[in-house]
Amino acid sequence: MFSPAALQSDHASDAPHTPMLFICKEQGVAQCFVLFVACNRQTETAGETGWESCKMKGNAVYKRSYNGCLAMCGSLQLGACLPSENELAQQLSVSRTTIRTVMTGLEAVGILSREGAIRRLSRHPQPEDAFPDTQTQSTSATVERRFLEWILDGNIGPGYLLTAAELARQFGTSTTIIREHLPHFQHFGLIERRPNSAWLFKGVTPAFANEIYEVREMFELRAARSFAVLPDDSRSWRHMRMIEAEHRALLKSIDKDYSLFPNLDERLHRTIHETTDNRFIKDFYDIISMLFHYNARWDVEDEKQRAFAALTEHITYIEALLGRDLKAIDQACRQHLKTARSNLLRSIELRMTMPPA
């Protein structure tokens, strides 16, 4: 069994920023953790060990890179050569060390084959080859998502005073991380800073939903128009055609599989948003995603009918995107978001009539 403590003691005399790499195989997938002795010294006082902090960060980077390479492989023909390690590192904004480890993992599961320095595509990736989105998030993103899920679950109501110490205990992390990321939600109007390091939770109200959907419409229209003008060789077209096929398949089995819709909905909208290459739009969509799941969780009445209606709107939207028809895209997008806003307002009003959790 690998011992982080043994690794640190063996390298106690290393320079503060000397990277130490080990690779393990877990369920056929190579995983990489890049550790820094300095992280241990810097984060132990914040309530977590350097091993835990670096492991989580390194693992998330690896898994994001792995999924990124899977997406790239999905757009290639069988037998095609992959770009060089340098090119892949630049495209994914990671180190060559991470890319090499990802390549090892892809070879291990038979997606790639190697001929000297050349790697070729042996098979196309399948959905089960990818890591779940929750495993590709950084520590900070994980904390933010858990916080948002916690408040949307109805654990607290409008007017509740939050403290960093309380939240650190709730999520098993350090007060430093909580203080660092709470201001993020202030930008969205969910919380408000108060004296003595307290935060006032303002609540997910109909007014909040209306405001955030006005911004969503503006951002998504911009993203959809960007999608329509992507170059023909963009892998986003392949992704969108796959999503269209999944929509049509789900529509045929909607009577028994309607619960699969929320995941498909998130994938469609995230695919559209990510083509903008705008970090503010991508960041905003995380909030939208959580609000959608809030809606799905609390408003189960007529869930099948609402999933059917949304699927139908999605297909109209996808057809407009694939046809690069800007007028049809604008119309389909506005109609779908109008329906989504109505559903969210209904779920919020339903939640407000329920007793506190």
Side-chain angles (χ1 to χ4, degrees), residues 164-178:
E166 174 191 4
L167 293 175
R169 287 193 298 270
Q170 175 70 32
F171 304 127
T173 188
S174 69
T175 55
T176 300
I177 289 178
I178 294 296

Side-chain angles (χ1 to χ4, degrees), residues 200-272:
L200 176 69
F201 177 56
K202 300 178 71 174
V204 180
T205 63
F208 172 83
N210 277 314
E211 289 174 7
I212 207 164
Y213 258 84
E214 286 179 6
V215 180
R216 180 187 184 181
E217 183 176 279
M218 177 176 62
F219 279 0
E220 181 141 348
L221 283 170
R222 171 69 179 85
R225 290 164 187 159
S226 295
F227 190 99
V229 297
L230 288 171
D232 292 340
D233 60 354
S234 171
R235 62 176 180 266
S236 295
W237 294 112
R238 177 183 173 88
H239 291 170
M240 188 59 70
R241 285 189 286 271
M242 291 173 61
I243 289 172
E244 180 190 27
E246 291 181 60
H247 271 75
R248 296 190 185 281
L250 181 56
L251 201 56
K252 292 179 180 178
S253 61
I254 192 68
D255 286 341
K256 61 184 180 67
D257 293 330
Y258 61 88
S259 61
L260 300 177
F261 175 72
N263 177 264
L264 195 55
D265 178 272
E266 177 168 357
R267 287 174 52 209
L268 169 64
H269 291 287
R270 193 173 293 280
T271 297
I272 295 169

Side-chain angles (χ1 to χ4, degrees), residues 48-308:
E48 61 180 338
T49 67
W51 162 254
E52 290 169 339
S53 176
C54 295
K55 180 178 69 173
M56 290 178 72
K57 291 178 182 177
N59 203 18
V61 169
Y62 168 78
K63 291 179 178 181
R64 281 198 302 273
S65 303
Y66 190 94
N67 284 359
C69 284
L70 286 179
M72 190 175 301
C73 289
S75 65
L76 298 176
Q77 297 293 326
L78 289 177
C81 295
L82 260 68
S84 69
E85 291 178 356
N86 278 336
E87 290 175 301
L88 290 171
Q90 290 176 3
Q91 289 182 38
L92 297 176
S93 300
V94 294
S95 69
R96 288 177 61 191
T97 299
T98 299
I99 291 299
R100 290 193 196 103
T101 311
V102 169
M103 295 296 101
T104 300
L106 294 175
E107 290 167 17
V109 295
I111 293 175
L112 298 181
S113 59
R114 186 166 184 172
E115 303 170 4
I118 298 175
R119 294 184 175 92
R120 296 184 182 277
L121 184 66
S122 298
R123 69 171 176 88
H124 282 122
Q126 300 300 313
E128 59 269 21
D129 288 314
F131 288 104
D133 289 342
T134 53
Q135 294 185 24
T136 65
Q137 296 176 336
S138 64
T139 306
S140 60
T142 300
V143 170
E144 290 179 3
R145 178 172 285 269
R146 289 180 63 195
F147 172 72
L148 201 51
E149 288 176 342
W150 184 66
I151 62 176
L152 294 180
D153 267 339
N155 290 286
I156 57 176
Y160 189 91
L161 282 178
L162 299 161
T163 66
E166 174 191 4
L167 293 175
R169 287 193 298 270
Q170 175 70 32
F171 304 127
T173 188
S174 69
T175 55
T176 300
I177 289 178
I178 294 296
R179 291 192 189 100
E180 180 181 351
H181 298 291
L182 271 182
H184 175 76
F185 296 100
Q186 186 176 18
H187 301 323
F188 295 102
L190 279 173
I191 59 176
E192 181 180 286
R193 188 68 183 264
R194 287 300 174 91
N196 302 322
S197 300
W199 296 83
L200 176 69
F201 177 56
K202 300 178 71 174
V204 180
T205 63
F208 172 83
N210 277 314
E211 289 174 7
I212 207 164
Y213 258 84
E214 286 179 6
V215 180
R216 180 187 184 181
E217 183 176 279
M218 177 176 62
F219 279 0
E220 181 141 348
L221 283 170
R222 171 69 179 85
R225 290 164 187 159
S226 295
F227 190 99
V229 297
L230 288 171
D232 292 340
D233 60 354
S234 171
R235 62 176 180 266
S236 295
W237 294 112
R238 177 183 173 88
H239 291 170
M240 188 59 70
R241 285 189 286 271
M242 291 173 61
I243 289 172
E244 180 190 27
E246 291 181 60
H247 271 75
R248 296 190 185 281
L250 181 56
L251 201 56
K252 292 179 180 178
S253 61
I254 192 68
D255 286 341
K256 61 184 180 67
D257 293 330
Y258 61 88
S259 61
L260 300 177
F261 175 72
N263 177 264
L264 195 55
D265 178 272
E266 177 168 357
R267 287 174 52 209
L268 169 64
H269 291 287
R270 193 173 293 280
T271 297
I272 295 169
H273 280 75
E274 287 183 346
T275 59
T276 64
D277 199 27
N278 184 310
R279 65 182 182 274
F280 299 106
I281 292 179
K282 293 177 184 177
D283 191 40
F284 177 83
Y285 186 71
D286 288 337
I287 298 292
I288 290 297
S289 176
M290 285 292 95
L291 285 173
F292 178 84
H293 288 292
Y294 172 89
N295 171 51
R297 181 181 295 124
W298 289 112
D299 191 2
V300 295
E301 185 179 349
D302 300 327
E303 184 179 0
K304 184 193 301 184
Q305 289 80 356
R306 285 186 288 109
F308 176 82

Side-chain angles (χ1 to χ4, degrees), residues 305-317:
Q305 289 80 356
R306 285 186 288 109
F308 176 82
L311 273 169
T312 304
E313 290 183 348
H314 274 194
I315 290 174
T316 301
Y317 191 9

Side-chain angles (χ1 to χ4, degrees), residues 7-18 20 37 41:
L7 175 63
Q8 290 181 6
S9 63
D10 288 345
H11 293 268
S13 60
D14 285 357
H17 299 287
T18 300
M20 297 174 291
V37 176
R41 299 167 186 161

